[in-house]
Structure formats: C-alpha cells, structure tokens
Amino acid sequence: DNYKQYWSFFRRPKEIETAEKVPDFVDTFYNLVTDIYEWGWGQSFHFSPSIPGKSHRDATRLHEEMAVDLIDVKPGDRILDVGCGVGGPMRAIAAHSRAKVVGITINDYQVNRARMHNKKAGLDSLCEVVRGNFLEMPFQDNSFDGAYSIEATCHAPKLEDVYAEVFRVLKPGSLYVSYEWVTTEKYGADNPEHVEVIQGIERGDALPGLRSYSDIAEAAKKVGFEVVKEKDLAKPPSLPWWTRLKMGRIAYWRNHILVIVLAAIGIAPKGTVDVHDMLFKTADYLTRGGDSGIFSPMHMILLRKPKEAPSKS
C-alpha cells in the first residue's frame, strides 16, 4: 500500500506541474519528499531516543506523549501543534490525552495527507489541520489551553518570532513545550569538521541556521515566557537517537535506485533525484552530529505564559 501511494503521487502530473512552479523552496521540498518521508520513516517526521526492547514506532509515540504530559492538559482542552507535518504526533497526542488538537503546516499537500490520516485513524473529531504560516497564525489571542512543537520551529528564521505568536494565542497561565534542534556545548565554531557537519544539516533540511542551546531560553524570555524547565533529551542516559539513521542505509539506497528509475522514465519530476541524494547526505551529517555530540534534535524547553501580564511602568 505504501508503494502504491508513493507511485500514485508521482502519477498525478497536474500536481507535479504545480509543485515545480512553487517559488518557495521549503514548500516545493515538502511536496517532493513528504511521501518519501512517510514511506521510509512513518508519519512522525522527527527523532526520538532509542528505548531497549521497544520498536522505533513505540519510542516515537512515547516521545510524543511526553510532550503533551508536560503541558498538563485535560480531555477536551484545545491545544496547538506548531508545525504539524502530516500529523503523526497530533494523532498520538490526541489519542493519549483526549485533548482537541489543532495543527498548522505551511504545506498544502501535508494538510491533505494529515486530514486523510486523521479520518482513517478515527480521530478527525479530535484533530483539525489548518494551512498557514506559524509566524502569522490565523488564530485569536488567548485561544489555546496549551501548545507544543516537535522539531518544527527550526525552520523559523528568528525563534522569537514563532515564540511570540505561540505566546499570543495561548491563554494566560498555560504551558508550551518545544523540542528544538540545537548545537550543544561540545560544538566548536573554530573546528572545521564541526562547521562542515552543522552546515550540512542546515543545507539538507532547509534551515535558516541552527541555534546554540544557550539561545533558546533567551528567545523565550524575550517575548514574555517564563522558563519552567529545560533539558536536552538526547543526553545520556537516553540512548542514541541517530542509530535509526544508520540502520536505514539499505532502505535509502533502495529508495534512491527507485527514484532514479522514476526520474529516468519521466514519472518523477525534475530535481527529485537531487533532493533524495541530499536527504541521503544529510542523514550522514545528522549521524556525525549525533555521534560527536555537537548536535541535538531534542533540546526540550517547557514554557509558561504568565497568568498576569507584567505591569508596564
């Protein structure tokens, strides 16, 4: 079934033609890779620490459930998924918490995929997906009981811009948790190998620039949040998150050969082989970043919007 979905996506020339004309690289990138990601990775486009005796799928679900447990919401509360992708985390979180989850993503194709998956999972009464930019969200002030983002805000050129929007839409006193992509204290800006790895991650994931772990709390405080807790979930005793990338090399090569064939016979759009090759190289940079400890995709920060706005004197 996954193969047929992948194949049928590239068989719709009108969508491909439209995708090729989209000027925004990030949007085009996700039009091209969303099905490849789903096929090779699943519906949750993020990492999680490995857990002994647990499958990658179970480890991913537990990582997602921890996010919603941290923001302390009740069944029926309305919470926000900032950068929801095709909604893997949204469905796990809705099923676990019974909260109503509203997800936002900039990519039209992902909106349609997420809605289809929500319906198929029987969770469309709890899960809503909106197309929009998380830097200018189409939601009212003080309208959510909680919020989370899982490896999504790394696409924001300025972290405080997305944090300010989350702050605006949250009700006073409510919590927001984010898993951030960061360079760690082990990163050396004067180490050429470190710089190469981090730049490779940035290029391969359409990132405007990775932030240092030390910048996250400052960005949050700047827009008015109180920092409740901050912890790098990738550090020991957590087991490596990047082992999954190493195990996926055979799948990467299998997929790459298929993409080359589809492009050669004119089914896959121009540029797909380059994009897939970039993903393969990026996996190597991510692995090196994890192995060396200079990069983490799960620097967790838990924030609270104050119950009362600070007085302006």
Side-chain angles (χ1 to χ4, degrees), residues 16-270:
I16 299 303
E17 189 181 320
T18 306
E20 284 187 327
K21 291 177 182 174
V22 174
D24 179 2
F25 175 74
V26 175
D27 204 16
T28 304
F29 176 81
Y30 279 113
N31 279 332
L32 294 173
V33 306
T34 290
D35 281 4
I36 297 171
Y37 273 8
E38 279 197 55
W39 187 35
W41 200 256
Q43 294 168 18
S44 295
F45 298 174
H46 64 81
F47 296 104
S48 58
S50 296
I51 300 174
K54 298 278 186 187
S55 66
H56 291 307
R57 183 178 296 207
D58 286 343
T60 297
R61 179 178 49 76
L62 290 168
H63 193 53
E64 293 162 353
E65 289 176 357
M66 182 175 67
V68 74
D69 288 344
L70 282 165
I71 61 172
D72 194 26
V73 295
K74 309 181 298 293
D77 280 354
R78 185 172 183 252
I79 63 174
L80 176 64
D81 182 327
V82 184
C84 66
V86 298
M90 171 193 295
R91 287 181 288 281
I93 282 168
H96 176 67
S97 68
R98 305 313 291 177
K100 293 184 177 177
V101 187
V102 179
I104 186 167
T105 175
I106 200 167
N107 184 264
D108 252 335
Y109 185 64
Q110 289 189 337
V111 170
N112 295 329
R113 295 289 296 167
R115 286 174 180 165
M116 183 271 288
H117 286 312
N118 291 345
K119 194 170 183 180
K120 196 173 176 183
L123 290 166
D124 46 338
S125 62
L126 290 177
C127 298
E128 180 188 343
V129 189
V130 174
R131 185 186 182 277
N133 185 341
F134 58 34
L135 300 174
E136 299 174 291
M137 293 194 280
F139 307 122
Q140 292 183 347
D141 295 1
N142 311 314
S143 57
F144 287 95
D145 299 297
Y148 65 88
S149 50
I150 300 178
E151 301 183 29
T153 52
C154 50
H155 286 295
K158 285 187 178 176
L159 191 59
E160 52 264 39
D161 289 350
V162 64
Y163 278 5
E165 270 294 88
V166 176
F167 186 90
R168 178 183 69 78
V169 303
L170 279 179
K171 293 176 182 176
S174 52
L175 295 164
Y176 166 52
V177 67
S178 187
Y179 296 168
E180 295 287 347
W181 281 30
V182 298
T183 55
T184 71
E185 71 284 355
K186 291 185 178 179
Y187 173 69
D190 54 353
N191 183 319
E193 189 180 344
H194 287 189
V195 172
E196 181 200 347
V197 167
I198 296 305
Q199 287 182 345
I201 292 169
E202 290 168 348
R203 281 195 305 268
D205 286 291
L207 303 180
L210 274 167
R211 300 170 184 95
S212 168
Y213 74 100
S214 59
D215 297 336
I216 308 302
E218 284 308 306
K221 289 175 190 170
K222 201 171 175 180
V223 304
F225 276 118
E226 297 169 353
V227 178
V228 179
K229 190 177 181 184
E230 193 174 12
K231 182 183 181 183
D232 188 347
L233 302 176
K235 287 188 172 176
S238 291
L239 294 176
W241 53 268
W242 61 92
T243 51
R244 191 175 173 190
L245 287 168
K246 288 181 175 177
M247 290 170 66
R249 285 179 178 275
I250 293 169
Y252 273 113
W253 278 113
R254 180 195 64 207
N255 293 357
H256 196 60
I257 290 163
L258 179 59
V259 168
I260 289 169
V261 171
L262 292 175
I265 59 179
I267 291 170
K270 190 178 177 183

